[in-house]
Amino acid sequence: MGGVFDYDVAIVGAGNVGAAIARELARFELKVALIEAGRDVGAGTSKANTAILHTAYDAKPGTLEARLVARGYALLTAYADEVGIPLERTGALLVAWDDEELQRLPAISERAVKNGYDRVRSVGREELYGKEPHLGPGALGALEIPDEHIVCPFTPVLAFATQAVLAGVDLRREERVTEMQRLERGWRLETSRGSLTTQWVANAAGLHSDEVNRLAGHDEFTVTPRRGELIVFDKLSRPLVRHVILRVPTAITKGVLVAPTVFGNVVLGPTAVDIERKDDTSSTAEGLAYLQAQGRRIVPELLAHEITAVYVGLRAATESADYQLWADGGARYACAGGIRSTGLTSSMAIAEHVRDELAAAGLELRERKERLPVVRMPSLGEAQLRPFADSARIAADPEYGRVVCFCERVTRGEIRDAARSPVPPVDLDGLRRRTRALMGRCQGFFCGPSVAAALAERAGLDVAGLQEHPL
Amino acid sequence: MTGAVQVERADVAVVGGGPAGLAAATALRKAGAGKVVVLERESAPGGIPRHARHQGFGLRDLHRSLSGPRYAARWVELAAGAGADLQTETQATGWTDVGELELTSPRGRSLLGARAIVLATGCRERPRAARLVPGARPQGVLTTGALQQLVYLLGESPGRRAVVVGAEHVSFSALLTLGHGGARAVAMVTEHPCHQTFAAFRAGAALRFRTPLLTRTALTAIDGDQRVEEVELTSLDTGRVQRLACDLVIFTADWIPDHELAVLAGAALDPGTRGPAVDSAFHTTRPGLFAAGNVLHGAETADVAALSGRAAAESVSRHLHGDPWPTSRIPIECQAPLHWMTPSAIVAPNAATHPPFRLRAREILGARQVEIGQDGRTLWRGRVKRLLPGRSARLPGGWTGAVDSDGGPIAVHIV
């Protein structure tokens, strides 16, 4: 294939979904472009999620989302093991705080069974407090979802992109697709950096997937950004929380959760407010006050701890309850849009689905002889052996003994590795997601400029451009 | 931890090579302590003063006025000269079950056991997130700590127009740093009714930078796309909102002790200071573990931290000579509007010497009569000139001789 076209497939958007599709297609004899409008992979809606590995126990039965989240769970769990994505098997507790909520628990269990998940278990009040001793007073009972876990929100997309790039996918960052022109057997994409031709286009543009869909001549859905604010508490609060603690969902929202993170913090959130602008990642006084009030009820002691960070994510909500996943064979176009927070879990299953849709629509898939290159991602998880604590590693290379970011114990060796990696960071936020540098409680008070200098030196970037860390 | 890990032994391990740690190590060596190791995670010892180029360091401890870097260098010289073992690029990351420090350095991962450990880990300014300031999250939002490193260590220009949040010593220090970095502070805002630094410092800054000080004003939002573009300021009295164009926001003061190692050691924190709760001989609640300097409370000036380290060394020295760890302590409780006093307990049985106490209020109170009592008995009463939330008043320690070791808690209140 290929011929006069620059690419066989151009994937628009390098978030979790787009990068997973790129990795999946990299297994075949195809020339693939992964085009990202932002500065980095996973820097849009993918980077501020609650980092839960979902079982799909609560999905709407019969939807594509329900099926792909369940399938994605199995795929991502295995993949995490293979490439070293931080994942902790915490399980979840869905807590009922009043009689009405308590009465709704059986229906939630039944729905889980309809989704093919039969391990939800009822937990009495006493057992609940035994499992979560710091839970606020007044809980009446809970459902245990033993396979709902926590996962690193940043490493999956980086692993997908790294593997894709090593397998020959052309990653094009900071390139926005502005127009799509139908050719006889493919497309010409006009971009902020020029133009390219491709036989097929896969739309994985997240928040902007509706716009790309319209550029492709379709108009099935509109994305309304739904803001989710998250408060991350100091690591010293980690002993307060053992499971993902969920609220009973309402018709409108899944509610606020309290959960440990794989970095050893505790996260409280998210809010859920529909907003207008797709670039408005501002936090709000109301949102933060609401989260604090919720947190005070769920785990009161949490509020006595220092706050390390506030994140704001925008979910790509649409008017439909389900994912927008389909292919238009005639147009040589596939859509993977309207993927909300479950996309972290389902991304690998979405990739398989898009692959099959493309094949059914006529894309010829011939598997490469060689397997995907083996990648091993940095050990960012508290449950993993991190370089600063690894005697053998420091003995082999003292740079792993030179801590630069003290709060998160990130070493010069890790910053160097990130700078040399196949998908290197282009800014401090990218470095943070790859190494944890600047993610900690001091937010750069002690180390901000020296971390910037270390990255600048290794990546050939300009310190002035990196100097301040967007908090 | 994997692989063979080296275990070292010392008489005293001091965590933190800033003024308090270096002063403690110097005094300990002079008092005849054997092996005194100072663990400094940065590539050079000296602590925060290394990044503060202005004059005025060393008045109370070294009896001269030095620039920050000169002051830091002087303490490094004194500690090294006294025979302390200064280990740089060495971070204590945690504890083993038997109370050894886990260390990471380019030399490897190792353990350090000591007969006494002094935490002198200092404090940090709460960053924007910890203060829950809402709004956009553009570049150009810094703490003074980051600003000083940026300007003095990297020689970078931080921006052009800054809004400084806070009006304490460090806030005025930030003004100087901004000046050195080619930026201008367009406003200094504080929620309090006035600034809390030395009058001379304030007057000098007012004359030199002409930065308006907006009192009873809160920074309520930050706006900007890639870079800070403006901030929203709200008057606490009238509710009036104004927007101010700027490309930098410097969050100053609002200190929080770097108490991680104390918490991981199981030492109790003082609810007021958020630092480890120490008694009048710098004992934490964990045997063998002392704490001194700014880890005990929000930042005092470097000389005060050094004097705290020096005073703690006396107590550490007695511990090395076999003084038993106190089995009980008499707590000191502050009544509102007072906030905290540190040390926050008296050793029982009562020790011979006591360092001065430091007292802070929850709001700016100015001069007040303060009484310290126990079980209805007055131990000390006197006029305290300046009761502030951001800067301590110094109280003498002489009254501790009258404390009843078997009595109830000590109460501190305004008369």
Side-chain angles (χ1 to χ4, degrees):
Chain A
M1 290 177 79
V4 294
F5 289 92
D6 299 324
Y7 298 101
D8 297 313
V9 185
I11 302 158
V12 183
N16 275 309
V17 173
I21 295 170
R23 176 190 166 277
E24 181 59 35
L25 295 183
R27 297 172 44 229
F28 302 94
E29 302 276 356
L30 295 170
K31 194 158 186 330
V32 177
L34 179 57
I35 308 170
E36 171 55 47
R39 301 195 74 190
D40 200 1
V41 301
T45 209
S46 294
K47 79 172 178 182
N49 59 66
T50 45
I52 308 295
L53 185 67
H54 292 290
T55 56
Y57 77 96
D58 61 342
K60 191 173 177 197
T63 57
L64 202 50
E65 182 179 26
R67 182 157 63 81
L68 294 179
V69 172
R71 168 76 182 148
Y73 181 98
L75 291 172
L76 187 60
T77 308
Y79 187 64
D81 209 33
E82 179 193 326
V83 304
I85 294 168
L87 189 163
E88 281 183 51
R89 290 172 166 76
T90 55
L93 291 165
L94 189 146
V95 178
W97 294 92
D98 58 37
D99 284 324
E100 196 210 322
E101 290 186 354
L102 197 62
Q103 280 156 23
R104 282 171 48 207
L105 297 186
I108 295 170
S109 294
E110 283 159 30
R111 178 180 259 209
V113 173
K114 278 189 199 142
N115 282 319
Y117 183 72
D118 62 1
R119 280 165 46 84
V120 171
R121 191 175 70 84
S122 200
V123 172
R125 195 181 167 281
E126 204 164 309
E127 189 187 349
L128 173 61
Y129 281 98
K131 283 175 174 290
E132 285 291 353
H134 300 279
L135 200 65
L140 303 178
L143 291 180
E144 182 186 41
I145 306 116
D147 303 292
E148 198 89 348
H149 298 318
I150 58 173
V151 66
C152 177
F154 309 131
T155 309
V157 60
L158 288 165
F160 300 151
T162 301
Q163 222 171 6
V165 165
L166 289 174
V169 169
D170 199 358
L171 172 63
R172 304 167 61 131
R173 289 185 279 188
E174 281 200 279
E175 181 164 7
R176 179 175 294 278
V177 174
T178 52
E179 258 180 80
M180 292 173 59
Q181 186 194 341
R182 278 285 291 273
L183 304 177
E184 196 179 332
R185 297 171 61 80
W187 295 90
R188 173 180 300 280
L189 305 189
E190 298 298 331
T191 77
S192 53
R193 291 185 176 234
S195 75
L196 57 93
T197 55
T198 179
Q199 299 206 56
W200 294 79
V201 171
N203 171 11
L207 279 173
H208 302 280
S209 53
D210 57 340
E211 296 157 48
V212 172
N213 197 48
R214 283 183 202 115
L215 291 182
H218 283 265
D219 192 12
E220 288 84 358
F221 63 99
T222 297
V223 170
T224 305
R226 185 168 298 160
R227 172 159 54 207
E229 290 155 277
L230 298 164
I231 297 178
V232 178
F233 285 87
D234 192 282
K235 290 190 168 57
L236 295 171
S237 70
R238 176 66 181 84
L240 294 176
V241 180
R242 298 176 185 172
H243 303 77
V244 177
I245 304 175
L246 302 164
R247 296 218 51 175
V248 175
T250 66
I252 305 155
T253 161
K254 281 191 176 186
V256 169
L257 62 80
V258 173
T261 74
V262 293
F263 310 119
N265 299 82
V266 173
V267 65
L268 166 67
T271 54
V273 176
D274 285 349
I275 59 169
E276 311 238 314
R277 275 171 47 199
K278 289 176 176 175
D279 60 349
D280 183 8
T281 55
S282 300
S283 62
T284 63
E286 306 77 50
L288 298 176
Y290 171 75
L291 289 182
Q292 286 178 294
Q294 290 281 313
R296 203 166 282 123
R297 172 150 201 204
I298 302 167
V299 182
E301 289 167 70
L302 190 57
L303 277 293
H305 281 267
E306 292 292 317
I307 288 165
T308 292
V310 170
Y311 293 124
V312 180
L314 299 179
R315 312 169 184 85
T318 66
E319 55 275 63
S320 160
D322 207 352
Y323 293 170
Q324 299 291 324
L325 282 184
W326 37 261
D328 174 348
R332 300 196 157 194
Y333 167 76
C335 180
I339 317 284
R340 291 177 301 258
S341 55
T342 51
L344 174 63
T345 304
S346 61
S347 49
M348 295 180 84
I350 292 173
E352 283 184 347
H353 187 85
V354 168
R355 174 202 66 196
D356 293 345
E357 290 280 324
L358 286 169
L363 174 66
E364 192 187 335
L365 295 176
R366 270 179 297 142
E367 215 159 334
R368 287 182 202 269
K369 281 193 280 296
E370 63 276 26
R371 297 174 143 251
L372 283 176
V374 174
V375 302
R376 192 75 200 165
M377 300 306 287
S379 299
L380 301 188
E382 282 299 285
Q384 295 170 300
L385 179 63
R386 301 199 42 229
F388 84 88
D390 189 341
S391 305
R393 206 153 170 196
I394 301 171
D397 181 352
E399 289 291 277
Y400 293 116
R402 279 200 172 90
V403 180
V404 192
C405 166
F406 304 117
C407 302
E408 296 293 309
R409 287 92 157 101
V410 182
T411 65
R412 284 181 69 90
E414 292 162 276
I415 293 175
R416 174 203 59 201
D417 293 351
R420 285 183 187 167
S421 68
V423 185
V426 293
D427 53 24
L428 288 175
D429 190 46
L431 183 71
R432 177 178 67 86
R433 284 179 278 114
R434 286 164 176 83
T435 64
R436 283 171 58 166
L438 300 173
M439 197 191 282
R441 58 172 69 93
C442 94
Q443 295 280 301
F445 174 87
F446 291 115
C447 67
S450 50
V451 167
L455 176 63
E457 172 197 332
R458 290 295 183 175
L461 298 167
D462 173 21
V463 177
L466 291 175
Q467 61 189 228
E468 301 100 11
H469 168 54
L471 296 183
Chain B
M1 213 184 277
T2 65
V5 170
Q6 227 183 321
V7 186
E8 284 181 63
R9 296 273 152 211
D11 292 290
V12 185
V14 179
V15 187
L22 293 172
T26 307
L28 279 160
R29 282 291 303 163
K30 284 189 176 162
K35 186 173 176 185
V36 178
V37 177
V38 179
L39 305 167
E40 172 52 56
R41 60 191 191 179
E42 305 257 3
S43 57
I48 298 285
R50 291 194 305 131
H51 314 146
R53 215 201 276 164
H54 58 81
Q55 294 289 315
F57 286 86
L59 294 174
R60 297 184 192 82
D61 55 343
L62 302 176
H63 309 295
R64 66 190 85 173
S65 177
L66 300 170
S67 73
R70 297 261 317 183
Y71 172 81
R74 182 66 191 135
W75 267 117
V76 171
E77 224 172 82
L78 287 168
D85 177 5
L86 307 185
Q87 301 191 0
T88 54
E89 286 190 305
T90 305
Q91 186 177 10
T93 60
W95 306 89
T96 64
D97 294 344
V98 292
E100 297 152 333
L101 285 163
E102 296 173 331
L103 307 183
T104 292
S105 80
R107 296 173 301 285
R109 184 78 166 155
S110 60
L111 301 177
L112 177 63
R115 294 165 60 205
I117 294 173
V118 182
L119 292 182
T121 47
C123 59
R124 60 179 194 273
E125 293 164 300
R126 281 193 177 85
R128 183 249 179 113
R131 305 181 195 212
L132 285 180
V133 174
R137 292 164 304 145
Q139 296 209 332
V141 180
L142 301 173
T143 50
T144 315
L147 171 73
Q148 292 187 332
Q149 293 170 60
L150 193 64
V151 172
Y152 296 139
L153 295 189
L154 297 187
E156 291 290 332
S157 158
R160 286 199 187 83
R161 290 166 56 88
V163 167
V164 174
V165 182
E168 301 181 18
H169 290 330
V170 66
S171 323
F172 288 88
S173 182
L175 284 188
L176 295 170
T177 310
L178 286 166
H180 288 148
R184 196 166 71 84
V186 293
M188 179 178 255
V189 300
T190 173
E191 299 189 14
H192 293 293
C194 63
H195 72 82
Q196 296 180 65
T197 190
F198 306 124
F201 209 0
R202 158 65 181 142
L207 211 63
R208 185 163 160 199
F209 300 111
R210 300 178 188 283
T211 299
L213 174 65
L214 307 178
T215 57
R216 297 283 298 152
T217 301
L219 187 140
T220 39
I222 294 175
D223 222 337
D225 186 13
Q226 288 299 309
R227 178 86 200 183
V228 174
E229 288 162 25
E230 60 175 18
V231 294
E232 180 193 276
L233 304 174
T234 304
S235 161
L236 297 179
D237 295 323
T238 64
R240 197 174 75 89
V241 172
Q242 57 172 314
R243 303 187 73 88
L244 191 57
C246 59
D247 64 353
L248 257 182
V249 180
I250 310 296
F251 283 98
T252 71
D254 196 1
W255 301 94
I256 172 88
D258 231 20
H259 55 217
E260 181 185 29
L261 284 173
V263 174
L264 295 179
L269 294 188
D270 181 282
T273 62
R274 307 288 295 147
V278 293
D279 66 24
S280 43
F282 298 91
H283 302 107
T284 68
T285 59
R286 184 181 130 151
L289 186 65
F290 296 82
N294 283 341
V295 71
L296 296 181
H297 42 63
E300 302 288 346
T301 50
D303 49 1
V304 171
L307 290 175
S308 165
R310 189 184 283 167
E314 280 179 44
S315 174
V316 176
S317 213
R318 284 197 297 275
H319 174 72
L320 295 178
H321 284 99
D323 262 22
W325 200 262
T327 49
S328 67
R329 43 164 66 188
I330 304 151
I332 298 173
E333 292 164 2
C334 283
Q335 290 167 15
L338 296 176
H339 190 197
W340 52 255
M341 186 152 96
T342 183
S344 61
I346 301 294
V347 185
N350 212 334
T353 56
H354 284 288
F357 289 80
R358 302 202 169 270
L359 178 64
R360 290 213 194 166
R362 289 185 182 277
E363 57 203 77
I364 294 179
L365 297 176
R368 293 296 173 92
Q369 281 285 326
V370 171
E371 185 177 274
I372 304 175
Q374 184 186 28
D375 302 326
R377 201 161 50 89
T378 301
L379 300 173
W380 182 86
R381 185 177 211 181
R383 188 178 137 88
V384 178
K385 228 167 52 183
R386 210 180 290 107
L387 281 168
L388 304 172
R391 181 175 150 200
S392 299
R394 188 176 179 277
L395 264 60
W399 54 271
T400 55
V403 170
D404 176 3
S405 296
D406 301 317
I410 292 158
V412 186
H413 62 98
I414 287 173
V415 184

